[in-house]
């Protein structure tokens, strides 16, 4: 039964690239694990998640275990995170315990090269849709978000609101756009692969002529639109646009009519983790209904855990015309995407 | 004259300098001329020079450096003259403020100028629109001009200090003679003062050019949103994983060679200064009375200083206490959110502060001692081969920070990378030339006869050093210590290549936060960094009676 759902998942989805072996059995959180984790005393969490979410989440985990396990959050864009981990590994430096990337393609080479340790928490086995868990238990999706468009309502007249990507090529938007960069952000790397698959590179070539303000991380366009630096964001993490709107800033989200890039955020434990027990405890907590609820309450991203309901007021994922995510293609095309992008946008 | 153990000391110091200076540069050359398999090739240079994505940054960098250099001279020369030769009020304050702009890290200045002059959300542009009703921004920082402006803001102090110091020392007699012979003030200025100051100004122009050429901080903040690369940001981007070490090394070489050539030019320019100071003691320079222009001159000077100092710091403070960076903070909207986030939530803050402090302390102490040792050996010509030491200690001047970072990484990726040691080496190497030059000139003012007298009276060499030389040197030593400390705190270029997650320093943390646009935390960290710097300078002044070194 389980086997069959895995095979189905493999055929369908990113994570099940191939089914080589069965997933490891689910491990409950035992007192022994908690003690061992407390003995390690800390866990290093590499993530691309915005700090406004990642740091409070880390603090909530620390509080849950009585402050005995300190989390150090190492946040940067997923592409730079990938570079850092590879560079550290090349120098035989092993600092990362748990990694969470917004570029699912990163987990393919990590798994292939044997860098990840299998771990199946109870919630991963019980509450996650099978297609969100790697068949070998090397990683699972932590949460899903979108790369959305958005605009500052004080800067765009109602009649000028763009409906989708193609609208942005109109000359009236010259100098009004801000966009993040696939060379730094995993969200944007994933989104760019989908965008160029659906609309072709010609689209980005034309867009690059619109005097776009180029920023790095997908977490920055929301901040720029909220600050009123640019009227419209071509892309960016949807949850940050929503959060800005919810705190009363003049920000409105646009889900592009052509389709919305969907981004999963896998998480895994590194085999060479210096704090393997704390790493497992952290993953277990983040994937548990409690951890997932925390992420949803704070940010409204789409939870991976089926026990947790998405945040009220956000459009349900099923109602959105999302583009298909294809990590294998992202892995293959990443270098070419970065080079081509740099050719058009000059940086 | 021979040192006790002199040979051993010399060998030790040379080995150390080879490890921290020669090895990194050597690896750069090897990598630049080799392909991925290690076979010799010129292919890397062919790749670079036929690829517009490398040629464009080269052209950009040259435009940038020429412009920054010209602007710095245009601003710094008159300002230096006002401070040194006129009765302008506040001239002492002016000098202190110029030092304060020198101490401000350019990347902090660049972030602050984003807050001020981002075309739409920038505070100055908002004010401009409110006041004039204009559509277009007053100033767009995300342009080549914007970057030139910011870099000039933090480069002009170098030129100012050179010019002001030269004018301080310039003999008054020549000018007196000129006016006694009936020349008017402006004639004296044009015929005497300007020609005498010209070599220094040329040297200043070259220093500014070099600073702009090799700077990473401000371009790293502004170049990407402005849509172009400079050489340093390009090298940095080539060094992202998988590090294209061959290309990064090859791209570093033009920068290295250009720097060496310019340094030679500069030495030539400064060398000519000699003719102005032939023979004997001179009277104090003449003070030119500005008369009715005194107040406007002071106001103008303060206006200039608003650009690197008053405005950026106001913007940083505004952002630190504001919920959104683009809003003017009011008592009603003021928030401690950013402070709380930076110090209580952000888990990198404390480790980064700690690392920075340890490194600054270690680099200034060890680097200062190393410079002292070298300066002593060279000044007293204590051992054969001391010239090699002088050369090696000055050589890092020619190595841009980012290039040194790449070289050190290539040399020590399998050993020291990932520890604070590699950063310590980088910082000591970068600051060694300035520290050495400063202590060297201090040694030259202490005549060896004093030491010889001590020796003749039966004291050992160590005892002589301790009782006679050390007290005479203490001011310079404290100043050097202080100089390295401050320089380490603001260093970004080598650190950006060499850090790992556990060896992050504050400058790198700010750089990381910039990537995600967390300007609130950046403002808080920058202000914290500047506060620490200011405290160190004040303390050093109290303790050692030292002034910040004015040598560059």
């Amino acid at each position: 039964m389980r086997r069959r759902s895995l095979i189905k998942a493999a055929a369908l989805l990113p994570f099940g690239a191939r089914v080589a072996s069965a997933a490891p059995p689910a491990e409950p959180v035992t007192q022994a694990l908690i003690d061992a984790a407390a003995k390690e005393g800390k866990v290093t969490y590499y993530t691309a998640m915005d700090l406004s979410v990642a740091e409070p989440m880390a603090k909530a985990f620390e509080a849950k275990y009585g402050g005995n396990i300190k989390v150090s959050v190492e946040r940067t864009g997923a592409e730079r995170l990938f570079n850092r981990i590879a560079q550290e590994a090349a120098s035989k430096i092993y600092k990362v315990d748990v990694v969470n990337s917004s570029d699912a393609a990163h987990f393919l080479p990590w798994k292939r090269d044997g860098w990840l340790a299998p771990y199946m928490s109870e919630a991963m086995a019980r509450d996650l849709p099978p297609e969100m868990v790697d068949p070998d238990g090397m990683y699972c999706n932590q949460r899903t978000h979108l790369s959305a468009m958005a605009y500052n309502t004080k800067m765009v007249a109602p009649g000028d609101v763009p409906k989708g990507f193609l609208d942005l090529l109109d000359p009236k938007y010259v100098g009004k756009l801000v966009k993040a960069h696939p060379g730094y952000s995993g969200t944007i790397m994933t989104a760019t692969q989908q965008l160029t698959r659906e609309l072709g590179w010609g689209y980005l070539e034309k867009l690059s002529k619109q005097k776009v303000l180029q920023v790095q991380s997908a977490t920055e366009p929301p901040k720029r639109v909220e600050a009123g630096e640019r009227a419209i964001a071509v892309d960016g993490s949807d949850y940050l646009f929503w959060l800005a709107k919810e705190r009363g800033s003049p920000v409105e989200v646009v889900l592009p009519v052509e389709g919305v890039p969907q981004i999963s955020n896998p998480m895994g434990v590194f085999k060479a983790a210096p704090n393997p027990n704390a790493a497992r405890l952290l993953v277990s907590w983040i994937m548990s209904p409690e951890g997932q609820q925390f992420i949803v309450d704070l940010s409204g991203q789409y939870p991976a855990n089926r026990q947790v309901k998405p945040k009220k007021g956000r459009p349900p994922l099923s109602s959105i015309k999302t583009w298909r995510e294809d990590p294998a293609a992202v892995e293959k095309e990443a270098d070419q995407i970065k080079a081509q992008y740099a050719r058009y946008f000059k940086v | 004259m021979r040192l006790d153990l002199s040979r051993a000391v010399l060998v030790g110091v040379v080995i150390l300098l080879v490890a921290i200076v020669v090895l990194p540069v050597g690896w750069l050359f090897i990598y630049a001329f080799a392909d991925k398999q290690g076979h010799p090739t010129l292919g890397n240079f062919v790749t670079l020079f036929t690829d517009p994505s490398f040629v464009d940054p080269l052209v950009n960098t040259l435009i940038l450096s020429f412009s920054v250099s010209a602007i710095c001279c245009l601003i710094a020369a008159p300002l230096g003259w006002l401070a040194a030769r006129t009765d302008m009020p506040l001239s002492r304050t002016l000098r202190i403020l110029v030092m304060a702009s020198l101490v401000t890290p350019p990347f902090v200045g660049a972030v602050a100028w984003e807050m001020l002059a981002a075309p739409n959300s920038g505070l100055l542009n908002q004010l401009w629109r409110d006041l004039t009703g204009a559509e277009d921004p007053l100033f767009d920082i995300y342009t080549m001009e914007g970057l030139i402006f910011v870099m000039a803001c933090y480069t002009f102090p170098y030129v100012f200090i050179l010019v002001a110091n030269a004018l301080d020392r310039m003999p008054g007699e020549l000018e007196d003679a000129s006016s006694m012979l009936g020349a008017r003030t402006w004639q004296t200025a044009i015929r005497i003062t300007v020609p005498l100051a010209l070599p220094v100004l040329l040297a200043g122009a070259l220093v500014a050019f070099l600073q702009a050429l090799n700077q990473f901080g401000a371009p790293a903040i502004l170049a990407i949103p402005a849509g172009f690369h400079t050489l340093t940001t390009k090298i940095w981007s080539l060094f992202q994983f998988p590090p294209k070490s061959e290309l990064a090394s090859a791209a570093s070489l033009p920068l290295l060679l250009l720097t060496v050539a310019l340094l030679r030019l500069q030495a030539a320019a400064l060398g000519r200064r000699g003719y102005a100071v032939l023979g004997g003691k001179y009277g104090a320079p003449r003070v030119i009375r500005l008369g009715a222009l005194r107040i406007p001159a002071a106001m103008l000077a303060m206006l200039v200083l608003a650009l690197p100092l008053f405005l950026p710091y106001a913007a940083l403070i505004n952002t630190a206490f504001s919920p959104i960076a683009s809003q003017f903070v009011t008592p009603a909207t003021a928030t401690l959110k950013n402070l709380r986030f930076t110090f209580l939530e952000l888990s990198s803050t404390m480790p980064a502060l700690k690392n920075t402090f340890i490194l600054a302390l270690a680099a200034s102490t060890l680097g200062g001692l190393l410079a002292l040792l070298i300066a002593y050996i060279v000044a007293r010509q204590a051992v054969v081969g001391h010239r090699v030491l002088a050369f090696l200690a000055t050589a890092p001047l020619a190595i841009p920070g980012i290039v040194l970072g790449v070289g050190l990484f290539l040399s020590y990726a399998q050993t020291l990378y990932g520890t604070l040691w590699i950063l310590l080496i980088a910082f000591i190497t970068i600051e060694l030339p300035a520290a050495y030059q400063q202590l060297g000139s201090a040694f030259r003012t202490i005549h060896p006869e004093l030491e010889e007298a001590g020796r003749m009276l039966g004291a050992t060499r160590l005892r002589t050093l301790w009782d006679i030389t050390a007290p005479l040197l203490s001011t310079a030593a404290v100043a050097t210590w202080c100089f390295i400390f401050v320089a380490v705190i603001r260093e970004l270029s080598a650190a950006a290549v060499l850090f790992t997650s556990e060896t992050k320093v504050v400058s790198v943390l700010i750089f990381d936060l910039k990537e995600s646009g967390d300007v609130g935390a950046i403002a808080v960290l920058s202000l914290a960094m500047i506060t620490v710097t200011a405290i160190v300078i004040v303390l050093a002044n109290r303790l050692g009676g030292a002034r910040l070194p004015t040598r560059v």
Side-chain angles (χ1 to χ4, degrees):
Chain A
M1 170 69 193
R2 172 143 192 93
R3 182 88 188 168
R4 182 180 300 160
S5 65
L6 280 177
I7 292 169
K8 203 172 101 195
L12 275 177
L13 256 180
F15 287 18
R18 85 203 146 89
V19 183
S21 61
E27 293 176 35
V29 172
T30 58
Q31 191 58 41
L33 180 69
I34 297 173
D35 292 343
K39 206 170 162 203
E40 289 163 355
K42 63 171 189 168
V43 54
T44 303
Y45 175 57
Y46 280 37
T47 184
M49 193 190 234
D50 192 62
L51 282 169
S52 67
V53 185
E55 293 285 7
M57 188 187 84
K59 293 286 173 287
F61 171 78
E62 288 177 2
K64 164 90 181 172
Y65 291 100
N68 294 323
I69 309 159
K70 290 268 166 261
V71 184
S72 42
V73 176
E74 169 78 2
R75 195 224 92 90
T76 185
E79 302 307 311
R80 288 177 66 190
L81 215 54
F82 184 70
N83 295 344
R84 248 174 234 190
I85 289 173
Q87 195 158 325
E88 290 179 5
S91 295
K92 302 191 183 58
I93 296 166
Y94 304 105
K95 302 290 187 202
V96 48
D97 291 307
V98 177
V99 70
N100 163 227
S101 175
S102 54
D103 184 343
H106 292 162
F107 286 80
L108 303 178
W110 285 338
K111 179 179 172 180
R112 208 165 41 230
D113 298 341
W115 289 14
L116 299 169
Y119 174 62
M120 185 71 77
S121 77
E122 279 188 317
M124 279 164 71
R126 187 187 62 216
D127 302 337
L128 260 60
E131 70 269 17
M132 287 198 183
V133 185
D134 172 61
D136 298 310
M138 296 295 180
Y139 53 92
C140 70
N141 185 26
Q142 185 197 67
R143 67 208 142 87
T144 299
H145 73 285
L146 306 170
S147 171
M149 283 168 44
Y151 63 97
N152 187 310
T153 54
K154 285 189 182 158
M155 301 170 80
V156 181
D160 285 338
V161 173
K163 300 211 166 29
F165 291 112
L166 293 173
D167 287 355
L168 298 178
L169 300 180
D170 193 298
K172 70 183 170 197
Y173 297 120
V174 168
K176 296 204 184 314
L177 308 176
V178 56
K179 185 179 182 323
H181 196 297
Y184 303 91
S185 163
T187 299
I188 305 303
M189 172 53 84
T190 308
T192 306
Q193 193 274 331
Q194 298 174 28
L195 182 75
T196 53
R197 181 187 66 208
E198 304 289 335
L199 303 180
W201 274 99
Y203 173 73
L204 280 182
E205 185 180 10
K206 287 181 208 132
L207 187 71
S208 71
K209 309 244 158 68
Q210 296 287 76
K211 287 198 179 164
V212 176
L213 174 66
Q214 183 69 62
V215 296
Q216 300 177 37
S217 168
T219 64
E220 187 165 0
K223 293 161 198 171
R224 294 296 189 148
V225 168
E226 185 180 16
E229 178 44 48
R230 285 294 190 271
I232 300 163
V234 180
D235 50 25
S237 302
D238 64 332
Y239 61 98
L240 295 170
F241 290 125
W242 288 113
L243 287 175
K245 178 185 174 170
E246 285 158 11
R247 64 174 161 260
S249 292
V251 173
E252 194 58 67
V253 182
V254 176
L255 298 171
V257 288
E258 295 89 352
V260 189
Q262 177 176 326
I263 290 98
S264 58
N265 292 263
M267 172 169 67
V269 175
F270 261 72
K271 195 184 265 174
N275 308 294
N277 297 297
R280 283 164 176 77
L281 196 60
L282 179 65
V283 168
S284 170
W285 181 79
I286 292 176
M287 296 319 298
S288 73
E290 185 185 342
Q292 294 275 299
Q293 191 68 53
F294 187 89
I295 295 176
V296 170
D297 288 347
L298 191 62
S299 71
Q301 296 177 80
Y302 299 102
N305 190 317
R306 283 176 299 199
Q307 306 250 353
V308 176
K309 296 275 159 295
K311 190 167 182 172
K312 282 218 172 57
R314 305 283 175 91
L317 200 51
S318 56
S319 75
I320 300 171
K321 182 187 169 193
T322 54
W323 279 336
R324 181 173 51 85
E325 203 182 347
D326 188 352
V330 173
E331 192 198 3
K332 223 178 313 153
E333 296 169 23
D335 282 345
Q336 185 253 330
I337 287 176
K338 285 178 192 173
Q340 190 69 28
Y341 192 90
R343 215 160 293 144
Y344 289 150
F345 287 88
K346 304 289 177 223
V347 282
Chain B
M1 204 171 174
R2 286 182 63 87
L3 261 181
D4 334 321
L5 295 173
S6 56
R7 187 57 52 189
V9 170
L10 180 75
V11 170
V13 175
V14 168
I15 289 176
L16 187 64
L17 290 179
V18 165
I20 68 178
V21 180
V22 180
L23 211 58
V25 178
W27 277 115
L28 273 180
F29 273 90
I30 291 173
Y31 269 85
F33 290 100
D35 61 15
K36 276 195 172 14
Q37 283 74 40
H39 303 305
T41 174
L42 289 174
N44 299 324
F45 294 95
V46 175
T47 311
L48 284 180
F49 284 102
T50 51
D51 181 358
S53 81
F54 175 74
V55 177
D56 288 350
L58 186 67
V59 174
N60 290 336
T61 304
L62 291 176
I63 296 174
L64 205 64
S65 305
F66 273 114
S67 317
V68 168
S69 174
I71 293 173
C72 285
C73 289
L74 283 177
I75 303 293
L79 219 54
W81 177 77
L82 280 175
R85 302 309 286 272
T86 70
D87 61 347
M88 182 186 74
L90 297 178
S91 76
R92 220 184 109 67
T93 315
L94 175 64
R95 286 182 191 234
I96 293 172
L97 290 175
V98 170
M99 289 313 299
S101 7
L102 189 65
V103 162
T104 306
F107 59 90
V108 169
V111 177
W113 268 101
E114 277 193 287
M115 295 162 188
L116 288 164
N120 298 304
S121 57
L123 300 172
L124 287 180
N125 284 324
Q126 288 187 51
L127 268 182
W128 168 253
R129 286 201 177 85
D130 288 351
L131 290 177
T132 64
E135 281 270 308
D136 291 325
L138 177 65
F139 190 34
D140 181 354
I141 203 73
Y142 298 126
T143 53
M144 177 67 93
E145 295 80 6
L147 181 55
I148 290 172
F149 167 77
V150 170
M151 289 173 79
C153 273
Y154 299 97
T155 308
F156 96 93
Y158 293 96
V159 186
F160 174 94
I161 290 165
L162 272 176
V163 171
N165 284 1
L167 291 174
D168 282 341
R169 286 193 306 262
M170 191 182 284
E173 277 80 355
L174 290 170
E175 289 166 335
D176 289 342
S178 162
S179 45
M180 272 184 261
L181 291 170
R184 292 167 188 281
T185 310
W186 61 268
Q187 282 176 319
T188 305
I190 289 177
R191 296 234 175 111
I192 308 289
T193 320
V194 170
L196 281 178
L198 217 48
V200 176
L201 195 60
L202 180 59
L206 287 168
V207 167
F209 192 94
L210 276 174
Q211 287 288 329
L213 189 66
N214 294 334
Q215 205 192 94
F216 174 65
I221 303 292
L222 293 176
I224 287 176
F228 61 86
H229 269 299
T230 66
L231 264 184
T232 49
T233 60
K234 184 70 191 174
I235 292 173
W236 179 79
S237 77
L238 283 172
F239 208 63
Q240 298 303 294
F241 203 87
K244 300 173 188 68
S245 302
E246 331 78 50
L247 288 181
S249 304
S252 299
L253 287 191
L255 204 55
L256 197 67
L257 297 179
L258 211 51
T259 309
V260 172
L262 288 169
L263 281 172
R264 294 212 73 100
L265 255 177
Q266 189 205 342
L270 276 179
R272 285 191 57 202
R273 198 180 47 183
Y275 70 80
V277 285
L278 281 176
K281 286 204 170 177
Y282 295 98
R286 290 149 47 88
V287 170
I288 291 168
R289 305 206 177 284
L290 292 174
L293 291 174
R294 282 182 78 222
I295 305 297
M299 281 168 60
L300 184 74
M302 290 303 133
L303 212 62
V304 170
L305 264 299
L307 302 177
L309 278 183
F310 307 142
L311 286 171
Y313 281 101
L316 287 173
I317 292 171
N318 183 73
T319 301
F321 295 101
S322 162
I324 297 175
S326 61
Q327 287 175 357
F328 286 97
V329 71
T330 61
T333 60
T335 167
L336 294 178
K337 182 187 81 160
N338 295 317
L339 273 177
R340 211 166 35 231
F341 175 77
T342 309
F343 288 109
L344 298 180
E345 285 191 354
L346 189 60
S347 51
S348 307
T349 303
M350 286 307 156
L353 282 173
K354 195 176 124 202
N355 286 338
T356 306
F357 197 69
I358 292 174
L359 282 169
L361 217 57
S364 51
T365 308
L366 298 176
L369 285 174
L370 181 64
L372 194 66
L373 185 64
I374 298 172
Y376 176 78
I377 296 176
V378 174
R380 295 293 174 260
Q381 308 185 351
V383 287
V384 185
H386 60 86
R387 281 207 182 80
V388 179
L389 283 188
F391 170 76
L392 287 178
T394 331
L397 258 190
I399 315 174
I402 190 119
V403 175
L404 182 74
V406 174
L408 281 171
F409 178 81
L410 297 176
S411 310
Y412 300 112
Q414 297 304 326
T415 46
L416 298 176
Y417 178 66
T419 67
L420 287 179
W421 289 104
I422 198 163
L423 290 165
L424 180 64
I425 291 178
F427 295 157
I428 289 181
T429 310
I430 291 173
E431 305 312 332
L432 188 61
Y436 161 71
Q437 286 177 351
Q438 198 176 355
L439 290 167
S441 61
F443 263 113
R444 277 191 288 281
T445 64
I446 302 169
H447 206 277
E449 280 161 9
L450 287 173
E451 288 172 16
E452 280 157 15
R455 297 275 281 159
M456 271 186 263
L457 292 170
T460 62
R461 177 176 291 276
L462 265 179
R463 172 116 209 141
T464 320
L465 278 175
W466 186 251
D467 282 353
I468 295 176
T469 319
L472 289 169
L473 268 179
S474 64
T475 307
V478 172
T480 306
W481 188 91
C482 188
F483 172 85
I484 302 178
F485 193 99
V486 171
V488 166
I489 288 184
R490 46 172 272 170
E491 212 289 330
L492 173 68
S493 54
V497 175
L498 295 174
F499 80 99
T500 53
S501 59
E502 291 194 359
T503 54
K504 227 183 243 185
V505 289
V506 175
S507 58
V508 172
L509 178 56
I510 291 176
F511 187 51
D512 264 7
L513 287 168
K514 182 65 193 85
E515 189 242 14
S516 49
D518 289 300
V519 282
I522 292 177
V524 172
L525 279 171
S526 302
L527 291 171
M529 196 160 126
I530 300 293
T531 310
V532 171
T533 308
I535 292 172
V536 168
I537 294 174
V538 169
L539 275 182
N541 269 313
R542 286 273 162 79
L543 290 176
R547 293 254 188 85
L548 249 201
T550 46
R551 199 167 256 282
V552 281

